[in-house]
Amino acid sequence: METPTQRWCFKMNNSKDMSVVCKGIVENAKDSIVARWAGIESFRWLVGNGRSILFWEDVWCGDSPLRAEFPRLFRLALNKNSLVKDFSMLNGFMEVNWADLFSCLLLDGEIHMVSRLKEALSNIILFPEVKDRLLWIHDNKGVFSVRKLTELLLSVGGGFKFRF
């Protein structure tokens, strides 16, 4: 199953249909220097309605996926592919019955983890009329641009060579 975050990732399926610039970006994205600026770690989700973001897998609350922050809860989760909107009640997370979302009764340590998860989510509100947005962390407005990526690549000096 393709995750929402994977939709933006570079793919080489139809390289003959790509422009020269797109081919160059895809080819250069394999380079570790480019991955530093355009890899998956460079993107975060801005929550709107929660219909495009995987609750456990995508980066939307903090700096890493919730599955990495709460690995034990992720292992116990009944549905590991749920969207953010599937976990919210009344456009927030305060009224969710978290115990119903796991495969077994939670132990004290796991209940504490759920408390930490609830705290992390306490200020997040969903807006049904607003689409989720994927943000590029290297731009003040969160918008990916070839121009900005080129500037960043050129700033690293002689260690990078463009391939076309």
Side-chain angles (χ1 to χ4, degrees):
M1 175 182 168
E2 183 178 271
T3 68
T5 302
Q6 290 172 330
R7 285 186 220 144
W8 66 266
C9 291
F10 304 118
K11 296 181 181 179
M12 288 295 290
N13 296 353
N14 298 318
S15 62
K16 65 180 184 228
D17 297 331
M18 291 182 186
S19 70
V20 173
V21 173
C22 285
K23 283 182 188 177
I25 291 171
V26 170
E27 185 60 33
N28 287 295
K30 298 174 187 174
D31 187 286
S32 63
I33 295 171
V34 177
R36 173 180 169 198
W37 303 108
I40 196 158
E41 305 83 30
S42 294
F43 293 87
R44 304 283 183 271
W45 281 100
L46 177 63
V47 179
N49 57 23
R51 293 181 179 186
S52 300
I53 306 169
L54 290 173
F55 184 85
W56 293 107
E57 297 289 338
D58 289 330
V59 180
W60 64 279
C61 178
D63 293 328
S64 60
L66 291 176
R67 72 168 157 69
E69 290 290 319
F70 302 96
R72 177 76 181 144
L73 295 180
F74 176 70
R75 281 193 299 278
L76 295 174
L78 287 171
N79 190 344
K80 293 171 176 47
N81 293 315
S82 292
L83 299 172
V84 168
K85 72 164 184 75
D86 298 334
F87 281 82
S88 71
M89 302 283 287
L90 303 173
N91 299 326
F93 298 92
M94 298 310 291
E95 303 299 320
V96 175
N97 186 356
W98 292 96
D100 291 344
L101 303 175
F102 299 104
S103 60
C104 61
L105 291 175
L106 300 178
L107 302 173
D108 288 344
E110 295 156 351
I111 291 170
H112 177 71
M113 289 176 212
V114 169
S115 295
R116 286 186 25 239
L117 176 60
K118 287 169 40 176
E119 177 65 29
L121 301 174
S122 65
N123 293 324
I124 296 176
I125 298 171
L126 302 185
F127 299 95
E129 66 284 349
V130 178
K131 289 184 178 182
D132 303 318
R133 278 188 47 215
L134 195 57
L135 303 175
W136 189 41
I137 64 171
H138 304 295
D139 179 70
N140 292 340
K141 295 179 182 174
V143 177
F144 176 83
S145 74
V146 173
R147 175 178 285 186
K148 179 71 174 183
L149 176 60
T150 302
E151 289 172 11
L152 292 169
L153 292 172
L154 292 173
S155 73
V156 298
F160 178 75
K161 303 279 190 256
F162 287 99
R163 292 184 292 267
F164 288 98

